[in-house]
Every structure is written in structure tokens, then in C-alpha cells.
Amino acid sequence: VSAELRHKETVVSALALAVRWFTSRGLREFDDLFLACFMVRLLETNVIVKQQDLLTVLKNFFLAIVNWDTSIVTGFHPDNLEDDIILAHLAAFPVVFLDNTGYWNIANAISKDSLLLAKADLSRSLTSLGDCLAFDTLFLEQHHVFSSFDHYFRLDLSTENKELLCKNSDFIVDTVNYDDRLNRFINKLSTRINECMGERFDNMYIQRLAVENKVS
């Protein structure tokens, strides 16, 4: 990734602003590595080219995420990657962006809810991206995640709850550590919430606020 971005100062500057955009909104699932890989992929497909100015690169980057079709696998995987592997990724993750081996999903931490939230916010940001007076709001000010919602609640997991994550077969199969198990729990909780309230609410989102007393 670093080699692909070398000597592309405008692209790197746009990437830095994109990282800042996600960071200021607390969308930590979109980490620096994923965003850099996404930028490189857009370079490979000529959605972004070195000759574009900063604003154009940033617009194209934001638009690519807004229009991202997660029903198909994208990334750096080989063209001849087995269908079974692709289907396994799609079954295991709501968002898939593969590395060059095809076995690691770089976007494994991104949930369907967080991507929908990012798409909605990016769409709003695109309307003011060229306005210099909006720069602070877009990239410098901290945006409290709860300000985007009409209602929210907080769920605290007790020590006993966390220990159950290590015992329940639904959370320990194909997981390697506590973070994996907690992400599995969050995905299942998100599915249940959407099943119960999906017809009444839009842009539902679960954010992991903190992890304490990790269970190994």
C-alpha cells in the first residue's frame, strides 16, 4: 500500500483528510489501513488518478464509499479465487474487502450499520465539500456519534456477561480472542434489533464504546 501511494502527494493529502473525517465522527471501524487500501484500490481501477486535484480525489473517494455495493467482494484478491472462499467471506462478514491473498478481509471490523451510517453522513458532506467555510465542520470538529440519532441507549456488559462470551458456542466457533467474540455478539445483537425495529427506525447503529476487564 505504501509503495502505491509513494510520490502521490495529492492523493496522500486527500487520504489524510478522509482519515480525519472518519476519526472526527468516531467511526473507528474505518481504520487507517482500510482507508489506505480503499484508496489504492480506487487508484488501481482509475477512479482516482494522480493528476486529479485534491478536491476531486476527495469527492471521488467519498462517492466510492457512498456507492459501494457490498453484495459483491472487492479488494486485491486474485481473479481466480475459488468461489467457495468468496461465498464464505460473504456469509461471515457484512462488508468484504480482501487482501491480495484473498484470505484476509481487511474490512472485517466494519458492520452493515456503521457502513450505512457512514454512507448517509458522507452524502451530506459531499454537498458542502467544496465550501471552504465548511472545512472545520467536515474535518476538524468532533461529532458526537449520538447527535446523529433521535434515540439511543447504552448496554453495559457485566463481568458475568463477558464470561458467557467464552462459553456460548455461538460466540466461540471460528473466533480467536475476546474481540472476535464480542464482535460476533454485536453482529447478532444488531441483527435482532433490526428484526424487531427495522420497520420503525432508519440508520440504526451499534458503537463499541470501551472494553474493560478483557477475558482471554
Side-chain angles (χ1 to χ4, degrees):
V1 171
S2 59
E4 292 294 332
L5 294 174
R6 191 175 299 136
H7 307 308
K8 298 181 177 69
E9 291 80 5
T10 301
V11 175
V12 172
S13 296
L15 176 59
L17 287 174
V19 169
R20 181 60 197 167
W21 187 95
F22 281 95
T23 301
S24 67
R25 285 156 181 78
L27 295 170
R28 291 172 293 182
E29 302 95 324
F30 297 82
D31 58 25
D32 296 2
L33 176 60
F34 165 75
L35 293 173
C37 289
F38 197 84
M39 181 70 82
V40 170
R41 181 58 182 164
L42 296 181
L43 284 166
E44 289 184 348
T45 55
N46 292 320
V47 174
I48 290 173
V49 296
K50 182 179 179 180
Q51 293 76 19
Q52 291 172 342
D53 59 56
L54 178 62
L55 182 59
T56 301
V57 172
L58 203 53
K59 281 184 176 179
N60 288 341
F61 186 83
F62 282 6
L63 276 172
I65 295 180
V66 170
N67 297 324
W68 188 5
D69 180 7
T70 56
S71 65
I72 59 175
V73 168
T74 188
F76 307 116
H77 55 287
D79 293 335
N80 61 349
L81 186 65
E82 294 88 342
D83 290 341
D84 289 348
I85 297 175
I86 292 176
L87 292 174
H89 279 297
L90 290 173
F93 302 101
V95 181
V96 180
F97 188 99
L98 298 180
D99 73 339
N100 59 355
T101 69
Y103 288 93
W104 179 41
N105 178 19
I106 301 171
N108 66 84
I110 301 176
S111 67
K112 177 183 177 182
D113 293 335
S114 62
L115 181 59
L116 290 175
L117 181 65
K119 285 185 173 188
D121 208 345
L122 282 169
S123 296
R124 291 190 293 269
S125 295
L126 278 166
T127 62
S128 56
L129 196 57
D131 184 357
C132 60
L133 297 178
F135 185 87
D136 287 3
T137 302
L138 290 174
F139 302 108
L140 298 181
E141 295 177 3
Q142 292 294 326
H143 297 258
H144 198 288
V145 65
F146 297 133
S147 65
S148 301
F149 300 92
D150 297 319
H151 309 282
Y152 65 88
F153 67 89
R154 174 172 175 160
L155 175 65
D156 292 313
L157 295 180
S158 66
T159 301
E160 292 76 14
N161 294 143
K162 294 174 182 177
E163 289 175 350
L164 285 175
L165 295 180
C166 300
K167 300 176 181 178
N168 191 313
S169 60
D170 288 341
F171 302 130
I172 61 177
V173 175
D174 294 330
T175 59
V176 296
N177 56 24
Y178 174 82
D179 284 341
D180 262 2
R181 290 188 285 273
L182 187 56
N183 284 332
R184 179 74 63 83
F185 167 76
I186 290 172
N187 289 335
K188 286 183 175 293
L189 178 61
S190 175
T191 300
R192 296 292 184 269
I193 291 175
N194 277 283
E195 289 174 352
C196 295
M197 297 185 287
E199 294 182 357
R200 290 183 288 169
F201 297 101
D202 295 322
N203 295 327
M204 289 184 287
Y205 172 62
I206 295 179
Q207 184 185 46
R208 180 175 168 182
L209 297 178
V211 178
E212 297 177 357
N213 301 322
K214 285 190 176 182
V215 180
S216 60

